[in-house]
Amino acid sequence: MAKVGTMTQAHTSRIPGFYKLTLAERAAVVSQWAALTTAEQTALLGLGGLNAAQADHMIENAVGVYALPLGIATNFLINGADILIPMVVEEPSVVAGVSNAAKVFREGGGFVTSSDQPVMIGQIQVLDLPDIYVAAGAVMAQRAALLEAVNSVSGSIVQYGGGARDLQVRPLTNTPVGPMLIVHVLLDTRDAMGANTINTALEHIAPMIEQITGGRVNLRILSNLADQRKARAEGVIPASELATETLSGEAVVRAIVEAGAFAEADPYRAATHNKGVMNGIDAVAIATGNDWRAVEAGAHAYAARDGQYTSLTHWWQDDDGNLRGSIEMPMAVGIVGGATRVHPTAQVALKILNIQNARQLAEIMVAVGLAQNLAAIRALSTLGIQQGHMRLHARQIAVAAGAAPEQVAQVVQQMIEENNIRPERARAIVQALKGS
Ligand code: MEV
């Protein structure tokens, strides 16, 4: 298990009042924090981000570039290192919520994280076999040759210490088309997410598998249930940090543990609970140019691994009466290749994170997921989600109604006091302010 804590870090991610700065001021703080070059600062502001020519090379039929807000979550302390978290997300409350949650985790010493080696699973489907068990034995008898063949096409990954790790055979006796043998290739893809590496290797050894088994290979593709490549995070929050105006810290700890138990027991709640976890994880995946659908697929398949869909996190009260939370899930992310390499802003995001390898990114991402989950269930267990959410929603409505930057707070406050957060009301208030 690796720790993120080897990261070098010179300064704190606890930046009080960061949210009160203007966008330009925040960008300046982050640029200084991460020692961004002028070109990197331009990419951060979205001015020199992905251009049309780059977009045209990334996908087919490109006609333009679609922008989303890039925010920075503050307060993260992970294995003793201060980290600013770049997040790309369209939903209000996510960045504020996760920053607040990171702050209370920080009071308990921050997150402790770990991760598996970055081993991806690739699958080869073999059919038309007279006996799937005999075929399975034949494949395992050729294990060494097959692993060598995988390494022969895995290029620089082997030089960097990755490469083929193992083979597994999984006879499926009862499928709608009869029995089949599934061969798993376990391949350490180091700092790459590894989809291309593993798919290349699978296609390369498929003819060997056909020859060894006498069967017919159909699919050759990675599995997004990357359960050999899990990351974990855990943290403690002093109960006193959770007290509200009306609730004691102990009462909030109990309510959060109850919320966690609800998600562990009920798939209907677990889906929403995990959606909250993924609000944070996806936002970092997008910021760093990673394939967030792959991360999502792995998360939900893992959450259903025992046959019943359940929570990705676990919350409990420790012997001192404090709240503890943990998360464990597959995290197939990379820091080289794909959009991570092409997208200038993804490069800047990685620089802000100040990480050296993919495992560190995976560990940061699960810490963000745990914090995001706390933000949601803490709000749900106390005030309810709408109060904070409505304020941010009101901000969006005020801006859309044409409120000048210095008017937004006033328009928001008035709509909240009137309990009337609507575009027409915002427009009327903005008009009245213009008149006065
Ligand atoms: C909203 O994007 C996410 C939440 O629904 C998560 C949850 O219910 O835990 C607030």
Side-chain angles (χ1 to χ4, degrees):
M1 290 189 196
K3 298 266 181 249
V4 178
T6 48
M7 285 179 254
T8 53
Q9 150 299 289
H11 32 212
T12 175
S13 64
R14 172 98 190 85
I15 312 176
F18 186 69
Y19 71 98
K20 290 187 196 148
L21 304 177
T22 64
L23 183 147
E25 287 167 342
R26 283 186 222 114
V29 168
V30 173
S31 299
Q32 200 190 17
W33 204 93
L36 299 184
T37 63
T38 310
E40 288 165 344
Q41 291 179 41
T42 313
L44 189 69
L45 286 168
L47 305 173
L50 193 71
N51 63 35
Q54 287 162 326
D56 202 18
H57 283 119
M58 270 173 117
I59 64 161
E60 310 72 41
N61 296 359
V63 294
V65 178
Y66 182 108
L68 282 170
L70 166 62
I72 294 286
T74 55
N75 300 326
F76 273 82
L77 183 65
I78 303 181
N79 300 329
D82 276 84
I83 298 169
L84 291 180
I85 314 279
M87 301 176 78
V88 170
V89 64
E90 86 298 345
E91 185 176 330
S93 303
V94 168
V95 179
V98 84
S99 300
N100 283 331
K103 186 159 160 270
V104 290
F105 269 110
R106 193 181 180 91
E107 297 302 325
F111 300 90
V112 177
T113 67
S114 64
S115 58
D116 301 329
Q117 296 292 333
V119 173
M120 291 299 282
I121 299 170
Q123 300 192 291
I124 299 177
Q125 179 193 25
V126 198
L127 302 111
D128 299 347
L129 294 166
D131 186 324
I132 51 176
Y133 295 99
V134 170
V139 168
M140 287 317 271
Q142 294 299 317
R143 179 178 175 278
L146 287 163
L147 295 186
E148 201 182 306
V150 166
N151 280 339
S152 74
V153 290
S154 296
S156 59
I157 285 207
V158 177
Q159 277 137 43
Y160 288 119
R165 291 292 179 258
D166 210 351
L167 285 186
Q168 293 169 343
V169 280
R170 299 179 53 239
L172 300 184
T173 49
N174 192 13
T175 84
V177 297
M180 61 182 75
L181 177 68
I182 309 302
V183 179
H184 277 193
V185 174
L186 273 49
L187 175 56
D188 183 328
T189 60
R190 293 284 94 193
D191 289 331
M193 185 275 190
N196 284 330
T197 309
I198 191 117
N199 292 337
T200 301
L202 296 174
E203 292 189 8
H204 179 67
I205 67 164
M208 289 173 75
I209 296 281
E210 286 188 330
Q211 206 190 13
I212 292 164
T213 60
R216 173 177 59 88
V217 166
N218 188 25
L219 302 194
R220 299 143 296 169
I221 186 72
L222 93 171
S223 171
N224 286 123
L225 177 49
D227 61 3
Q228 304 290 309
R229 194 177 188 175
K230 295 190 293 296
R232 291 162 282 274
E234 190 175 325
V236 57
I237 298 140
S240 56
E241 289 295 319
L242 295 167
T244 69
E245 275 173 23
T246 52
L247 294 168
S248 69
E250 290 69 31
V252 178
V253 170
R254 186 176 342 113
I256 291 174
V257 171
E258 288 164 354
F262 180 11
E264 285 187 41
D266 177 22
Y268 285 92
R269 174 57 204 154
T272 325
H273 180 98
N274 291 342
K275 190 273 183 183
V277 171
M278 300 311 289
N279 274 344
I281 289 176
D282 285 346
V284 183
I286 298 170
T288 55
N290 273 288
D291 179 348
W292 75 94
R293 286 89 55 215
V295 178
E296 282 275 348
H300 298 295
Y302 188 69
R305 64 195 176 282
D306 293 328
Q308 176 174 313
Y309 186 86
T310 187
S311 168
L312 289 165
T313 62
H314 180 56
W315 295 97
W316 71 103
Q317 186 178 36
D318 70 14
D319 294 343
D320 300 323
N322 297 322
L323 179 67
R324 277 184 189 267
S326 68
I327 185 169
E328 180 186 61
M329 58 182 286
M331 193 50 69
V333 289
I335 61 165
V336 294
T340 301
R341 186 172 42 82
V342 177
H343 201 302
T345 318
Q347 284 295 322
V348 177
L350 287 175
K351 185 164 177 187
I352 294 169
L353 285 165
N354 188 25
I355 50 176
Q356 278 77 46
N357 59 55
R359 287 172 67 185
Q360 291 177 336
L361 177 60
E363 292 179 29
I364 288 170
M365 286 173 69
V366 291
V368 171
L370 184 63
Q372 199 77 62
N373 183 220
L374 176 73
I377 57 176
R378 180 190 186 189
L380 289 167
S381 307
T382 52
L383 293 170
I385 207 79
Q386 282 310 79
Q387 203 168 89
H389 203 78
M390 287 318 280
R391 183 168 285 275
L392 286 156
H393 178 58
R395 278 178 64 96
Q396 287 182 331
I397 288 188
V399 171
E406 65 279 5
Q407 295 172 334
V408 171
Q410 195 180 341
V411 177
V412 166
Q413 193 56 35
Q414 194 167 335
M415 285 194 292
I416 286 175
E417 277 166 17
E418 293 171 1
N419 197 17
N420 185 4
I421 303 173
R422 291 201 173 78
E424 51 279 17
R425 184 61 194 135
R427 280 195 293 272
I429 301 171
V430 170
Q431 279 309 322
L433 286 174
K434 272 195 190 133
S436 62

